[in-house]
Amino acid sequence: MAGWSSNSKYAFLGALRSAAQMISYEVAIGFTIITVFLCAGSLNLTEIVRAQETVWYVVPLFPMFIIFFISALAETNRHPFDLPEAEAELVSGYNVEYSAMGFALFFLGEYGNILLMSITTAILFLGGWLPPFAFLSFIPGSVWLGLKVGIFAILFVIIRAVLPRYRYDQLMQIG
């Protein structure tokens, strides 16, 4: 909507790329979440975390975890999947015509989405608020969840610094 309403062909092209990318990676992320639901036997997030008391789902579902994390990078439009915002060819993508508070709200939403995907990853695959070992159970669960979310948020930033950007045809082929 933002790319279309700005009345710029570059912003509109960036919005179309963003929509195509989100649709192509939502299928993969949906299938990985379904496998976690099937292993836990419930759709309740509390039950999913309790089902991981013996072993976190990252161990038996490691290929699904990798697919989920790659899809989470693509869903959040983070590097190397940030083609809707590719500065060299689209002049910053769909948000090119926005400034001040509108521009700040775009980035607030982007980083909020990164935290949401980090929380989802921690709950679905890393045992949520559960400690990695039983002898560490004296540390509160909120600390464990915050630590896991922080690690994934930092990992999003590190990946931006390390990996190169894909071409658009390569991105859709990976999806």
Side-chain angles (χ1 to χ4, degrees):
M1 293 294 278
W4 178 56
S5 65
S6 68
N7 201 20
S8 169
K9 61 182 173 184
Y10 298 112
F12 183 64
L13 183 59
L16 287 178
R17 283 186 172 187
S18 180
Q21 179 176 327
M22 286 182 63
I23 290 170
S24 65
Y25 282 95
E26 280 178 2
V27 173
I29 209 166
F31 281 140
T32 57
I33 291 173
I34 288 172
T35 59
V36 172
F37 291 161
L38 289 174
C39 288
S42 175
L43 298 176
N44 188 350
L45 294 179
T46 305
E47 294 299 320
I48 291 172
V49 171
R50 287 187 184 147
Q52 299 180 58
E53 287 179 348
T54 56
V55 62
W56 291 352
Y57 286 152
V58 72
V59 175
L61 300 175
F62 188 72
M64 293 296 136
F65 170 72
I66 296 297
I67 292 171
F68 182 85
F69 186 68
I70 291 171
S71 298
L73 282 173
E75 281 289 317
T76 56
N77 288 333
R78 295 300 289 177
H79 207 70
F81 302 103
D82 61 344
L83 291 180
E85 300 169 359
E87 294 90 5
E89 56 193 44
L90 293 177
V91 195
S92 185
Y94 57 89
N95 56 8
V96 70
E97 299 291 328
Y98 295 94
S99 63
M101 197 57 179
F103 189 74
L105 288 174
F106 277 119
F107 278 95
L108 180 66
E110 181 178 333
Y111 284 102
N113 198 9
I114 289 171
L115 288 177
L116 176 70
M117 292 309 261
S118 298
I119 291 169
T120 306
T121 305
I123 288 175
L124 293 180
F125 291 100
L126 296 177
W129 54 84
L130 298 176
F133 304 106
F135 67 88
L136 294 173
S137 61
F138 65 92
I139 300 174
S142 60
V143 173
W144 286 115
L145 183 62
L147 184 66
K148 293 171 189 176
V149 169
I151 287 170
F152 274 100
I154 291 170
L155 192 59
F156 271 92
V157 174
I158 290 172
I159 286 175
R160 181 179 180 99
V162 172
L163 295 177
R165 180 179 286 136
Y166 290 116
R167 289 190 328 254
Y168 194 70
D169 60 332
Q170 293 171 331
L171 173 78
M172 297 312 279
Q173 187 175 12
I174 289 172

